[in-house]
Short mmCIF file of all heavy atoms in Angstrom, two decimals:
data_model
loop_
_atom_site.label_atom_id
_atom_site.label_comp_id
_atom_site.label_asym_id
_atom_site.label_seq_id
_atom_site.Cartn_x
_atom_site.Cartn_y
_atom_site.Cartn_z
N MET A 1 -29.29 -4.56 26.13
CA MET A 1 -28.49 -3.82 25.17
C MET A 1 -29.01 -4.10 23.76
O MET A 1 -29.05 -5.23 23.32
CB MET A 1 -27.03 -4.28 25.29
CG MET A 1 -26.10 -3.38 24.51
SD MET A 1 -24.43 -3.64 25.05
CE MET A 1 -23.54 -3.02 23.65
N SER A 2 -29.43 -3.08 23.11
CA SER A 2 -29.96 -3.28 21.77
C SER A 2 -29.34 -2.25 20.82
O SER A 2 -29.04 -1.14 21.22
CB SER A 2 -31.48 -3.15 21.78
OG SER A 2 -31.84 -1.86 22.18
N GLY A 3 -29.21 -2.65 19.60
CA GLY A 3 -28.60 -1.78 18.61
C GLY A 3 -27.11 -1.62 18.87
O GLY A 3 -26.53 -2.26 19.75
N MET A 4 -26.49 -0.75 18.11
CA MET A 4 -25.07 -0.47 18.28
C MET A 4 -24.23 -1.73 18.27
O MET A 4 -23.32 -1.91 19.05
CB MET A 4 -24.83 0.28 19.60
CG MET A 4 -25.66 1.54 19.73
SD MET A 4 -25.27 2.77 18.47
CE MET A 4 -23.79 3.47 19.20
N LEU A 5 -24.58 -2.63 17.35
CA LEU A 5 -23.84 -3.87 17.30
C LEU A 5 -22.46 -3.68 16.69
O LEU A 5 -21.51 -4.35 17.05
CB LEU A 5 -24.61 -4.90 16.47
CG LEU A 5 -25.71 -5.64 17.23
CD1 LEU A 5 -26.51 -6.51 16.26
CD2 LEU A 5 -25.12 -6.52 18.33
N PHE A 6 -22.40 -2.73 15.77
CA PHE A 6 -21.15 -2.58 15.05
C PHE A 6 -20.52 -1.23 15.33
O PHE A 6 -20.31 -0.43 14.45
CB PHE A 6 -21.39 -2.76 13.56
CG PHE A 6 -21.93 -4.11 13.23
CD1 PHE A 6 -23.28 -4.29 13.01
CD2 PHE A 6 -21.09 -5.22 13.16
CE1 PHE A 6 -23.79 -5.54 12.71
CE2 PHE A 6 -21.60 -6.47 12.86
CZ PHE A 6 -22.94 -6.63 12.63
N THR A 7 -20.30 -0.98 16.54
CA THR A 7 -19.74 0.31 16.91
C THR A 7 -18.34 0.49 16.33
O THR A 7 -17.40 -0.16 16.76
CB THR A 7 -19.68 0.44 18.43
OG1 THR A 7 -20.91 0.02 18.97
CG2 THR A 7 -19.43 1.88 18.83
N GLY A 8 -18.27 1.36 15.38
CA GLY A 8 -16.95 1.65 14.81
C GLY A 8 -16.33 0.50 14.06
O GLY A 8 -15.16 0.49 13.79
N TYR A 9 -17.16 -0.43 13.70
CA TYR A 9 -16.60 -1.56 12.97
C TYR A 9 -17.61 -2.01 11.91
O TYR A 9 -18.77 -1.66 11.96
CB TYR A 9 -16.29 -2.69 13.94
CG TYR A 9 -15.50 -3.81 13.30
CD1 TYR A 9 -14.15 -3.61 12.98
CD2 TYR A 9 -16.10 -5.02 13.00
CE1 TYR A 9 -13.44 -4.62 12.38
CE2 TYR A 9 -15.37 -6.04 12.40
CZ TYR A 9 -14.04 -5.83 12.10
OH TYR A 9 -13.31 -6.83 11.50
N GLY A 10 -17.13 -2.80 10.98
CA GLY A 10 -18.03 -3.32 9.96
C GLY A 10 -18.34 -2.30 8.89
O GLY A 10 -19.26 -2.47 8.12
N ARG A 11 -17.57 -1.24 8.86
CA ARG A 11 -17.76 -0.24 7.81
C ARG A 11 -16.51 -0.16 6.96
O ARG A 11 -15.60 0.60 7.27
CB ARG A 11 -18.05 1.12 8.46
CG ARG A 11 -18.87 2.01 7.52
CD ARG A 11 -19.16 3.32 8.17
NE ARG A 11 -18.30 4.37 7.62
CZ ARG A 11 -18.16 5.57 8.15
NH1 ARG A 11 -18.79 5.88 9.26
NH2 ARG A 11 -17.40 6.46 7.60
N PRO A 12 -16.44 -1.00 5.96
CA PRO A 12 -15.22 -1.03 5.14
C PRO A 12 -15.05 0.27 4.37
O PRO A 12 -15.91 0.64 3.60
CB PRO A 12 -15.46 -2.21 4.20
CG PRO A 12 -16.93 -2.37 4.12
CD PRO A 12 -17.47 -1.88 5.45
N SER A 13 -13.96 0.92 4.62
CA SER A 13 -13.68 2.12 3.86
C SER A 13 -12.91 1.72 2.61
O SER A 13 -12.01 0.89 2.67
CB SER A 13 -12.89 3.11 4.70
OG SER A 13 -11.72 2.50 5.18
N ARG A 14 -13.30 2.29 1.51
CA ARG A 14 -12.64 1.91 0.27
C ARG A 14 -11.30 2.60 0.14
O ARG A 14 -11.22 3.79 -0.11
CB ARG A 14 -13.53 2.29 -0.91
CG ARG A 14 -14.57 1.23 -1.18
CD ARG A 14 -15.64 1.78 -2.08
NE ARG A 14 -15.09 2.21 -3.36
CZ ARG A 14 -14.94 1.44 -4.41
NH1 ARG A 14 -15.26 0.18 -4.34
NH2 ARG A 14 -14.48 1.91 -5.54
N THR A 15 -10.28 1.87 0.32
CA THR A 15 -8.95 2.41 0.10
C THR A 15 -8.21 1.51 -0.87
O THR A 15 -8.59 0.37 -1.09
CB THR A 15 -8.16 2.52 1.41
OG1 THR A 15 -8.09 1.25 2.01
CG2 THR A 15 -8.79 3.53 2.34
N PHE A 16 -7.15 2.02 -1.41
CA PHE A 16 -6.43 1.31 -2.45
C PHE A 16 -4.96 1.23 -2.06
O PHE A 16 -4.50 1.96 -1.18
CB PHE A 16 -6.63 2.03 -3.77
CG PHE A 16 -8.09 2.06 -4.15
CD1 PHE A 16 -8.91 3.06 -3.67
CD2 PHE A 16 -8.63 1.07 -4.94
CE1 PHE A 16 -10.27 3.06 -3.98
CE2 PHE A 16 -9.99 1.07 -5.25
CZ PHE A 16 -10.80 2.07 -4.77
N PRO A 17 -4.25 0.32 -2.70
CA PRO A 17 -2.85 0.11 -2.31
C PRO A 17 -2.04 1.39 -2.30
O PRO A 17 -2.22 2.26 -3.14
CB PRO A 17 -2.33 -0.86 -3.37
CG PRO A 17 -3.54 -1.57 -3.87
CD PRO A 17 -4.67 -0.57 -3.78
N LYS A 18 -1.19 1.48 -1.33
CA LYS A 18 -0.31 2.64 -1.22
C LYS A 18 0.79 2.58 -2.27
O LYS A 18 1.15 1.52 -2.75
CB LYS A 18 0.37 2.63 0.16
CG LYS A 18 -0.17 3.66 1.10
CD LYS A 18 0.66 3.56 2.38
CE LYS A 18 0.32 4.69 3.32
NZ LYS A 18 1.10 4.57 4.55
N GLY A 19 1.31 3.73 -2.59
CA GLY A 19 2.50 3.78 -3.44
C GLY A 19 2.22 3.66 -4.92
O GLY A 19 3.14 3.51 -5.71
N ARG A 20 0.94 3.73 -5.29
CA ARG A 20 0.66 3.69 -6.73
C ARG A 20 1.01 5.04 -7.37
O ARG A 20 0.97 6.07 -6.71
CB ARG A 20 -0.82 3.39 -6.96
CG ARG A 20 -1.24 2.02 -6.42
CD ARG A 20 -2.74 1.87 -6.55
NE ARG A 20 -3.42 3.03 -5.97
CZ ARG A 20 -4.55 3.52 -6.42
NH1 ARG A 20 -5.13 2.98 -7.44
NH2 ARG A 20 -5.09 4.55 -5.83
N VAL A 21 1.30 5.00 -8.63
CA VAL A 21 1.55 6.24 -9.36
C VAL A 21 0.64 6.28 -10.58
O VAL A 21 0.11 5.27 -11.01
CB VAL A 21 3.02 6.38 -9.79
CG1 VAL A 21 3.93 6.52 -8.58
CG2 VAL A 21 3.43 5.21 -10.65
N CYS A 22 0.50 7.47 -11.11
CA CYS A 22 -0.35 7.69 -12.27
C CYS A 22 0.08 6.79 -13.44
O CYS A 22 1.26 6.57 -13.66
CB CYS A 22 -0.26 9.16 -12.66
SG CYS A 22 -1.24 9.58 -14.09
N SER A 23 -0.91 6.28 -14.16
CA SER A 23 -0.62 5.39 -15.28
C SER A 23 -0.25 6.14 -16.55
O SER A 23 0.12 5.52 -17.53
CB SER A 23 -1.84 4.51 -15.55
OG SER A 23 -2.06 3.63 -14.48
N GLU A 24 -0.40 7.45 -16.51
CA GLU A 24 0.00 8.23 -17.68
C GLU A 24 1.50 8.12 -17.87
O GLU A 24 2.26 8.33 -16.93
CB GLU A 24 -0.40 9.69 -17.45
CG GLU A 24 -0.04 10.60 -18.60
CD GLU A 24 -0.99 10.43 -19.79
OE1 GLU A 24 -2.03 9.77 -19.63
OE2 GLU A 24 -0.68 10.98 -20.85
N PRO A 25 1.92 7.75 -19.09
CA PRO A 25 3.37 7.63 -19.34
C PRO A 25 4.11 8.91 -18.98
O PRO A 25 3.75 9.99 -19.40
CB PRO A 25 3.44 7.36 -20.85
CG PRO A 25 2.12 6.75 -21.22
CD PRO A 25 1.13 7.40 -20.27
N GLY A 26 5.13 8.76 -18.18
CA GLY A 26 5.94 9.91 -17.82
C GLY A 26 5.46 10.63 -16.58
O GLY A 26 6.16 11.46 -16.03
N CYS A 27 4.26 10.32 -16.17
CA CYS A 27 3.71 10.98 -14.99
C CYS A 27 4.03 10.14 -13.76
O CYS A 27 3.73 8.95 -13.71
CB CYS A 27 2.21 11.18 -15.12
SG CYS A 27 1.51 12.03 -13.70
N LYS A 28 4.65 10.79 -12.79
CA LYS A 28 5.02 10.04 -11.59
C LYS A 28 4.25 10.50 -10.37
O LYS A 28 4.66 10.32 -9.23
CB LYS A 28 6.52 10.20 -11.33
CG LYS A 28 7.36 9.55 -12.42
CD LYS A 28 8.83 9.59 -12.03
CE LYS A 28 9.68 8.81 -13.01
NZ LYS A 28 9.69 9.42 -14.34
N THR A 29 3.14 11.12 -10.64
CA THR A 29 2.31 11.60 -9.55
C THR A 29 1.80 10.43 -8.72
O THR A 29 1.25 9.47 -9.25
CB THR A 29 1.12 12.39 -10.08
OG1 THR A 29 1.60 13.48 -10.86
CG2 THR A 29 0.27 12.93 -8.93
N LYS A 30 2.01 10.52 -7.43
CA LYS A 30 1.53 9.46 -6.56
C LYS A 30 0.02 9.57 -6.39
O LYS A 30 -0.53 10.66 -6.30
CB LYS A 30 2.20 9.55 -5.20
CG LYS A 30 3.65 9.14 -5.27
CD LYS A 30 4.29 9.26 -3.91
CE LYS A 30 5.77 8.93 -4.00
NZ LYS A 30 6.44 9.16 -2.72
N LEU A 31 -0.61 8.45 -6.34
CA LEU A 31 -2.05 8.43 -6.18
C LEU A 31 -2.41 8.22 -4.73
O LEU A 31 -1.77 7.49 -4.00
CB LEU A 31 -2.64 7.29 -7.01
CG LEU A 31 -2.35 7.35 -8.51
CD1 LEU A 31 -3.01 6.17 -9.20
CD2 LEU A 31 -2.84 8.65 -9.11
N SER A 32 -3.46 8.89 -4.36
CA SER A 32 -3.97 8.71 -3.01
C SER A 32 -4.56 7.32 -2.86
O SER A 32 -5.06 6.73 -3.80
CB SER A 32 -5.06 9.77 -2.74
OG SER A 32 -5.82 9.40 -1.63
N ILE A 33 -4.52 6.82 -1.66
CA ILE A 33 -5.14 5.52 -1.42
C ILE A 33 -6.65 5.63 -1.55
O ILE A 33 -7.35 4.64 -1.62
CB ILE A 33 -4.79 4.96 -0.03
CG1 ILE A 33 -5.26 5.90 1.07
CG2 ILE A 33 -3.29 4.71 0.08
CD1 ILE A 33 -5.13 5.27 2.45
N TYR A 34 -7.14 6.85 -1.59
CA TYR A 34 -8.57 7.05 -1.75
C TYR A 34 -8.95 7.30 -3.20
O TYR A 34 -10.11 7.44 -3.53
CB TYR A 34 -9.04 8.23 -0.90
CG TYR A 34 -8.75 8.02 0.55
CD1 TYR A 34 -7.74 8.73 1.19
CD2 TYR A 34 -9.48 7.10 1.28
CE1 TYR A 34 -7.46 8.54 2.51
CE2 TYR A 34 -9.20 6.88 2.60
CZ TYR A 34 -8.18 7.62 3.22
OH TYR A 34 -7.91 7.40 4.54
N ASN A 35 -7.94 7.36 -4.06
CA ASN A 35 -8.19 7.58 -5.47
C ASN A 35 -8.40 6.24 -6.16
O ASN A 35 -7.48 5.45 -6.30
CB ASN A 35 -7.00 8.34 -6.08
CG ASN A 35 -7.25 8.70 -7.53
OD1 ASN A 35 -8.27 8.32 -8.11
ND2 ASN A 35 -6.34 9.44 -8.12
N GLU A 36 -9.62 6.01 -6.59
CA GLU A 36 -9.88 4.71 -7.20
C GLU A 36 -9.41 4.66 -8.64
O GLU A 36 -9.40 3.62 -9.28
CB GLU A 36 -11.36 4.39 -7.14
CG GLU A 36 -12.21 5.37 -7.94
CD GLU A 36 -13.67 5.04 -7.79
OE1 GLU A 36 -13.98 3.86 -7.64
OE2 GLU A 36 -14.49 5.96 -7.83
N SER A 37 -9.04 5.79 -9.17
CA SER A 37 -8.56 5.84 -10.55
C SER A 37 -7.12 5.38 -10.63
O SER A 37 -6.40 5.32 -9.65
CB SER A 37 -8.67 7.27 -11.06
OG SER A 37 -8.02 7.39 -12.32
N GLU A 38 -6.73 5.03 -11.84
CA GLU A 38 -5.33 4.68 -12.05
C GLU A 38 -4.54 5.91 -12.46
O GLU A 38 -3.34 5.83 -12.73
CB GLU A 38 -5.22 3.61 -13.15
CG GLU A 38 -5.83 2.29 -12.72
CD GLU A 38 -5.72 1.25 -13.82
OE1 GLU A 38 -5.10 1.54 -14.85
OE2 GLU A 38 -6.26 0.16 -13.63
N TYR A 39 -5.23 7.05 -12.53
CA TYR A 39 -4.58 8.26 -12.97
C TYR A 39 -4.67 9.32 -11.89
O TYR A 39 -5.58 9.31 -11.05
CB TYR A 39 -5.24 8.78 -14.25
CG TYR A 39 -5.08 7.84 -15.42
CD1 TYR A 39 -5.99 6.84 -15.65
CD2 TYR A 39 -3.99 7.98 -16.28
CE1 TYR A 39 -5.85 5.97 -16.72
CE2 TYR A 39 -3.83 7.12 -17.36
CZ TYR A 39 -4.77 6.12 -17.57
OH TYR A 39 -4.61 5.27 -18.62
N CYS A 40 -3.73 10.25 -11.94
CA CYS A 40 -3.79 11.36 -11.03
C CYS A 40 -4.90 12.31 -11.48
O CYS A 40 -5.49 12.13 -12.53
CB CYS A 40 -2.45 12.10 -11.01
SG CYS A 40 -2.08 13.00 -12.53
N TYR A 41 -5.16 13.30 -10.69
CA TYR A 41 -6.29 14.16 -11.01
C TYR A 41 -6.10 14.93 -12.31
O TYR A 41 -7.06 15.37 -12.94
CB TYR A 41 -6.57 15.12 -9.85
CG TYR A 41 -5.50 16.16 -9.65
CD1 TYR A 41 -5.64 17.43 -10.20
CD2 TYR A 41 -4.35 15.88 -8.91
CE1 TYR A 41 -4.65 18.38 -10.01
CE2 TYR A 41 -3.37 16.81 -8.72
CZ TYR A 41 -3.53 18.06 -9.28
OH TYR A 41 -2.55 19.00 -9.10
N LEU A 42 -4.84 15.05 -12.74
CA LEU A 42 -4.58 15.74 -13.99
C LEU A 42 -4.90 14.87 -15.20
O LEU A 42 -5.27 15.34 -16.26
CB LEU A 42 -3.12 16.17 -14.06
CG LEU A 42 -2.73 17.39 -13.25
CD1 LEU A 42 -1.23 17.62 -13.36
CD2 LEU A 42 -3.49 18.60 -13.73
N HIS A 43 -4.72 13.59 -15.04
CA HIS A 43 -4.87 12.68 -16.16
C HIS A 43 -6.10 11.81 -16.03
O HIS A 43 -6.31 10.91 -16.87
CB HIS A 43 -3.61 11.82 -16.29
CG HIS A 43 -2.38 12.63 -16.57
ND1 HIS A 43 -1.28 12.62 -15.76
CD2 HIS A 43 -2.12 13.51 -17.57
CE1 HIS A 43 -0.38 13.46 -16.26
NE2 HIS A 43 -0.87 14.01 -17.34
N GLU A 44 -6.85 12.04 -15.03
CA GLU A 44 -8.08 11.30 -14.84
C GLU A 44 -8.98 11.47 -16.07
O GLU A 44 -9.41 12.56 -16.39
CB GLU A 44 -8.79 11.85 -13.60
CG GLU A 44 -10.21 11.36 -13.46
CD GLU A 44 -10.27 9.86 -13.30
OE1 GLU A 44 -9.83 9.36 -12.28
OE2 GLU A 44 -10.75 9.21 -14.23
N PRO A 45 -9.23 10.38 -16.81
CA PRO A 45 -10.00 10.49 -18.06
C PRO A 45 -11.47 10.83 -17.82
O PRO A 45 -12.12 11.36 -18.70
CB PRO A 45 -9.87 9.10 -18.70
CG PRO A 45 -9.31 8.20 -17.67
CD PRO A 45 -8.74 9.03 -16.57
N MET A 46 -11.96 10.51 -16.66
CA MET A 46 -13.38 10.74 -16.42
C MET A 46 -13.63 11.96 -15.54
O MET A 46 -14.57 12.02 -14.78
CB MET A 46 -14.00 9.50 -15.76
CG MET A 46 -14.18 8.38 -16.78
SD MET A 46 -14.71 6.86 -16.00
CE MET A 46 -16.25 7.40 -15.28
N THR A 47 -12.77 12.91 -15.65
CA THR A 47 -12.94 14.12 -14.86
C THR A 47 -14.23 14.84 -15.26
O THR A 47 -14.52 15.00 -16.43
CB THR A 47 -11.76 15.06 -15.08
OG1 THR A 47 -10.56 14.37 -14.80
CG2 THR A 47 -11.87 16.29 -14.18
N ALA A 48 -14.93 15.24 -14.29
CA ALA A 48 -16.16 15.98 -14.57
C ALA A 48 -15.82 17.29 -15.27
O ALA A 48 -14.88 17.97 -14.87
CB ALA A 48 -16.91 16.25 -13.28
N PRO A 49 -16.56 17.59 -16.30
CA PRO A 49 -16.30 18.84 -17.03
C PRO A 49 -16.54 20.05 -16.14
O PRO A 49 -17.47 20.07 -15.35
CB PRO A 49 -17.30 18.79 -18.18
CG PRO A 49 -18.37 17.87 -17.74
CD PRO A 49 -17.71 16.88 -16.81
N ARG A 50 -15.68 21.01 -16.30
CA ARG A 50 -15.84 22.22 -15.50
C ARG A 50 -16.93 23.09 -16.10
O ARG A 50 -16.98 23.33 -17.29
CB ARG A 50 -14.54 22.99 -15.49
CG ARG A 50 -13.51 22.35 -14.60
CD ARG A 50 -12.40 23.32 -14.32
NE ARG A 50 -11.28 22.64 -13.66
CZ ARG A 50 -10.16 23.26 -13.34
NH1 ARG A 50 -10.02 24.54 -13.61
NH2 ARG A 50 -9.20 22.63 -12.74
N LEU A 51 -17.75 23.54 -15.23
CA LEU A 51 -18.80 24.45 -15.68
C LEU A 51 -18.36 25.87 -15.40
O LEU A 51 -18.01 26.19 -14.27
CB LEU A 51 -20.11 24.14 -14.96
CG LEU A 51 -20.57 22.68 -15.13
CD1 LEU A 51 -21.81 22.45 -14.30
CD2 LEU A 51 -20.86 22.39 -16.59
N ARG A 52 -18.37 26.65 -16.43
CA ARG A 52 -17.90 28.02 -16.24
C ARG A 52 -18.76 28.78 -15.25
O ARG A 52 -19.98 28.79 -15.35
CB ARG A 52 -17.91 28.74 -17.59
CG ARG A 52 -16.62 28.46 -18.35
CD ARG A 52 -16.52 29.36 -19.53
NE ARG A 52 -17.68 29.17 -20.42
CZ ARG A 52 -17.88 29.86 -21.51
NH1 ARG A 52 -17.02 30.78 -21.87
NH2 ARG A 52 -18.93 29.66 -22.28
N GLY A 53 -18.11 29.40 -14.34
CA GLY A 53 -18.82 30.25 -13.39
C GLY A 53 -19.60 29.48 -12.36
O GLY A 53 -20.33 30.03 -11.57
N LYS A 54 -19.42 28.15 -12.37
CA LYS A 54 -20.16 27.40 -11.37
C LYS A 54 -19.18 26.55 -10.56
O LYS A 54 -18.23 25.98 -11.09
CB LYS A 54 -21.19 26.49 -12.03
CG LYS A 54 -22.38 27.26 -12.54
CD LYS A 54 -23.48 26.28 -12.94
CE LYS A 54 -24.70 27.05 -13.41
NZ LYS A 54 -25.80 26.15 -13.78
N LYS A 55 -19.48 26.47 -9.34
CA LYS A 55 -18.66 25.64 -8.46
C LYS A 55 -19.19 24.23 -8.46
O LYS A 55 -20.38 24.00 -8.40
CB LYS A 55 -18.75 26.17 -7.03
CG LYS A 55 -17.50 26.92 -6.60
CD LYS A 55 -17.60 27.19 -5.12
CE LYS A 55 -16.40 27.94 -4.64
NZ LYS A 55 -16.53 28.26 -3.22
N ILE A 56 -18.28 23.29 -8.52
CA ILE A 56 -18.71 21.91 -8.39
C ILE A 56 -18.70 21.56 -6.91
O ILE A 56 -17.67 21.62 -6.25
CB ILE A 56 -17.78 20.98 -9.16
CG1 ILE A 56 -17.85 21.31 -10.66
CG2 ILE A 56 -18.16 19.51 -8.91
CD1 ILE A 56 -16.88 20.49 -11.49
N ALA A 57 -19.83 21.21 -6.43
CA ALA A 57 -19.95 20.96 -5.00
C ALA A 57 -19.21 19.69 -4.63
O ALA A 57 -19.36 18.69 -5.27
CB ALA A 57 -21.40 20.86 -4.58
ZN1 ZN B 1 -0.81 11.83 -14.07
#
């Protein structure tokens, strides 16, 4: 038996504590455990700028 030592294991998925909310004052939007930001998508300070007429892949 060779290879496949870590079948379905050993791959830490980056998740974050449940139940967090946006850090923006007054915003109570819950954050996904997959959202590494402290802000919801509306208040995310590092949001990629939207390009007109172009889809962000
Ligand atoms: Zn927010």
Side-chain angles (χ1 to χ4, degrees):
M1 190 163 159
S2 62
M4 306 297 280
L5 277 174
F6 300 100
T7 314
Y9 190 72
R11 206 179 104 193
S13 55
R14 276 165 60 87
T15 57
F16 299 86
K18 254 183 172 179
R20 297 174 309 147
V21 294
C22 179
S23 293
E24 180 75 11
C27 181
K28 294 187 173 66
T29 302
K30 288 180 184 174
L31 301 181
S32 163
I33 60 171
Y34 301 107
N35 185 355
E36 64 182 328
S37 171
E38 293 180 5
Y39 295 89
C40 70
Y41 69 97
L42 282 177
H43 298 122
E44 168 62 68
M46 285 173 60
T47 305
R50 285 195 190 178
L51 303 176
R52 275 191 301 178
K54 285 191 178 181
K55 255 190 181 177
I56 297 176

